[in-house]
Amino acid sequence: MIKIPASPSVRRLPSYLHIIRQAHIDGYEYISGTIIAQELQLEPIQVRKDLAITGIVGKPKRGYPVVALISAIEHFLGWDNKNKAIIVGAGNLATALTGYSEFEFHGLEFVCAFDTDPEKIGKKIHGVPIYSMASIKTQVKKLNAAIAIITVPSQFAQETADMVVETGIKAIWNFTNVKLTLPKGVVSQREDLTSGYAMLSVKMIFDKEKRVLE
Amino acid sequence: MIKIPASPSVRRLPSYLHIIRQAHIDGYEYISGTIIAQELQLEPIQVRKDLAITGIVGKPKRGYPVVALISAIEHFLGWDNKNKAIIVGAGNLATALTGYSEFEFHGLEFVCAFDTDPEKIGKKIHGVPIYSMASIKTQVKKLNAAIAIITVPSQFAQETADMVVETGIKAIWNFTNVKLTLPKGVVSQREDLTSGYAMLSVKMIFDKEKRVLE
């Protein structure tokens, strides 16, 4: 079994990509790990470790070759190929996601959305057409979608996932608070907004205590 | 300086809380670390380490006392007190966040939203009133808000953060893709949706390679 690299390292790759692409636009050929570290308020050793998972190493004094580093990160993440995604549940979160321009730079293309609400079917969100849930299997085949983004209310999460699995899709990005039961061979990533809130909360407490102690 | 606990551990606490609260509802007095680990597909040793940061240790054979563990996690996160939050930028993401019922279980209360669009001002999103940006300082004082959630388009992120800092708010939850420059004493947490997409992408690739190699 191949071990997937540590998730905090993978989670940081898009931020690296963002900075390195900007360096490329600004005409730099090399970028140092120290500069990237400063930009993201990380330790330089951490940056070097994170970037090493993509298979690229920096040159002493010069740093990383910008173009090669962009390719290495994109290839590691599979973002050098377009990923076609459907969104199941055409609510506010779906509208927010389709309007989030960052994704298109990362090869994520929203091909269509699905909903059960007759008021929504036939309409578009940020140019993405909304189809009836009944047509999901046909549309997924036709559009060759690889990812399903589930943004339905949590009580419909599992049955929605079951329908998605039925279409043959092998990757689910789950925005509900339900831990999905999925067959082997289907990968999933749960996006838990309360995790970020937990981080902020802890920072608030520790910052207050630090000031009291100083 | 106090060291903030490792972020992956903090990020997992809401999931623990979710499971342990359910155990409480189901009438359990104790819950074992192994059960929690199974539920979240983690190693039991990881669960014990994560929960240790809240200051509570399990009893051999019995596990963790459910009620005390809920209190310990909530207290560690500061979720035993209500956190009043304002949302700056009353768009689709704001609508999605205010409609996300999980937050109220974690003591997060959205007191109002702000926008510059005259069409939106005076309206409500999921019961949360939208005020004019011009009134932010007055409203924050009046409502005693502690957190600002920034959901404006990225090009307005820094100027919005500056306005938020002006109100005296010390905690910013940043949903833009901009790394904010903030004065000392103001903490922030950036929510980067591309991080989750990176995780899903890597899982897709590794799952495919694993199957090829087997």
Side-chain angles (χ1 to χ4, degrees):
Chain A
M1 194 191 136
I2 299 169
K3 210 176 161 335
I4 294 184
S7 69
S9 302
V10 173
R11 288 187 163 273
R12 280 190 287 266
L13 291 179
S15 302
Y16 294 140
L17 196 54
H18 197 88
I19 290 168
I20 302 154
R21 278 181 179 162
Q22 191 55 52
H24 183 52
I25 292 165
D26 296 345
Y28 290 96
E29 267 186 70
Y30 284 84
I31 188 166
S32 82
T34 315
I35 294 289
I36 301 173
Q38 266 169 13
E39 192 85 19
L40 295 170
Q41 297 166 346
L42 291 166
E43 293 297 325
I45 177 78
Q46 185 66 64
V47 172
R48 276 186 283 273
K49 271 189 193 172
D50 289 347
L51 292 176
I53 66 177
T54 69
I56 207 157
V57 280
K59 284 184 190 170
K61 290 190 185 159
R62 301 191 76 176
Y64 296 91
V66 166
V67 173
L69 187 53
I70 293 171
S71 304
I73 298 175
E74 285 181 340
H75 181 71
F76 178 80
L77 293 170
W79 291 358
D80 43 0
N81 291 309
K82 253 206 167 16
N83 274 323
K84 289 188 176 182
I86 59 164
I87 305 184
V88 193
N92 295 306
L93 191 54
T95 310
L97 290 173
T98 51
Y100 191 62
S101 59
E102 196 76 0
F103 288 132
E104 57 189 282
F105 295 110
H106 299 328
L108 183 63
E109 188 194 352
F110 305 108
V111 288
C112 64
F114 296 93
D115 210 287
T116 52
D117 181 355
E119 288 280 304
K120 288 179 182 170
I121 297 162
K123 298 214 171 94
K124 285 184 179 188
I125 39 172
H126 292 119
V128 177
I130 305 168
Y131 299 129
S132 133
M133 266 311 278
S135 70
I136 187 166
K137 216 166 167 176
T138 334
Q139 290 293 353
V140 166
K141 293 266 176 276
K142 196 171 118 190
L143 298 164
N144 197 21
I147 296 174
I149 303 172
I150 298 186
T151 57
V152 298
S154 290
Q155 66 267 36
F156 305 118
Q158 185 61 52
E159 58 178 284
T160 303
D162 294 344
M163 277 188 268
V164 164
V165 168
E166 269 282 294
T167 68
I169 280 183
K170 301 285 184 220
I172 293 176
W173 196 4
N174 174 16
F175 279 81
T176 76
N177 64 10
V178 172
K179 208 180 99 356
L180 300 171
T181 305
L182 298 169
K184 224 180 154 239
V186 178
V187 297
S188 72
Q189 171 70 22
R190 190 156 80 86
E191 206 59 37
D192 185 358
L193 291 174
T194 58
S195 286
Y197 173 51
M199 280 302 294
L200 182 68
S201 303
V202 167
K203 285 177 185 173
M204 285 167 78
I205 291 170
F206 276 73
D207 200 64
K208 222 179 268 173
E209 286 177 1
K210 194 176 69 189
R211 268 180 287 158
V212 170
L213 286 171
E214 268 170 7
Chain B
M1 196 189 134
I2 299 168
K3 212 177 160 332
I4 293 183
S7 68
S9 302
V10 173
R11 287 188 165 274
R12 280 189 288 266
L13 292 178
S15 301
Y16 294 140
L17 196 54
H18 197 87
I19 290 168
I20 302 156
R21 278 182 179 161
Q22 192 54 53
H24 182 52
I25 292 164
D26 296 344
Y28 291 95
E29 267 186 70
Y30 284 84
I31 186 164
S32 81
T34 315
I35 294 289
I36 300 172
Q38 267 169 12
E39 191 86 17
L40 294 170
Q41 296 164 347
L42 291 166
E43 293 297 325
I45 177 79
Q46 185 67 63
V47 172
R48 276 187 282 273
K49 272 188 192 173
D50 288 348
L51 292 176
I53 67 175
T54 69
I56 207 156
V57 281
K59 283 184 191 171
K61 289 187 186 164
R62 302 192 76 176
Y64 296 91
V66 166
V67 173
L69 187 53
I70 293 171
S71 304
I73 298 174
E74 286 181 338
H75 182 71
F76 179 80
L77 294 169
W79 291 357
D80 42 0
N81 291 310
K82 252 203 167 20
N83 275 322
K84 289 188 177 184
I86 59 164
I87 306 183
V88 192
N92 295 306
L93 190 54
T95 310
L97 290 174
T98 51
Y100 192 61
S101 59
E102 194 77 359
F103 288 132
E104 57 190 282
F105 294 112
H106 299 329
L108 184 63
E109 187 195 352
F110 304 107
V111 289
C112 64
F114 296 93
D115 211 287
T116 51
D117 182 353
E119 288 281 304
K120 288 178 182 170
I121 296 164
K123 299 215 171 94
K124 286 184 177 187
I125 39 173
H126 291 119
V128 177
I130 305 169
Y131 300 129
S132 135
M133 266 312 276
S135 71
I136 187 169
K137 216 166 165 175
T138 333
Q139 290 292 353
V140 166
K141 293 266 178 276
K142 195 172 119 189
L143 298 165
N144 198 20
I147 296 173
I149 303 171
I150 298 185
T151 57
V152 297
S154 290
Q155 65 266 38
F156 305 119
Q158 185 61 54
E159 57 178 285
T160 304
D162 294 344
M163 277 190 268
V164 164
V165 169
E166 269 282 295
T167 69
I169 279 182
K170 301 286 184 219
I172 292 176
W173 196 5
N174 175 16
F175 280 81
T176 76
N177 65 8
V178 173
K179 208 180 100 352
L180 300 171
T181 306
L182 298 168
K184 224 180 153 236
V186 178
V187 297
S188 73
Q189 172 70 22
R190 191 157 80 86
E191 208 59 36
D192 185 359
L193 291 174
T194 59
S195 287
Y197 173 52
M199 281 301 297
L200 182 68
S201 303
V202 168
K203 285 177 185 173
M204 285 167 78
I205 291 170
F206 277 72
D207 201 64
K208 221 178 272 173
E209 286 177 1
K210 194 177 69 192
R211 266 179 289 159
V212 170
L213 287 170
E214 268 169 8

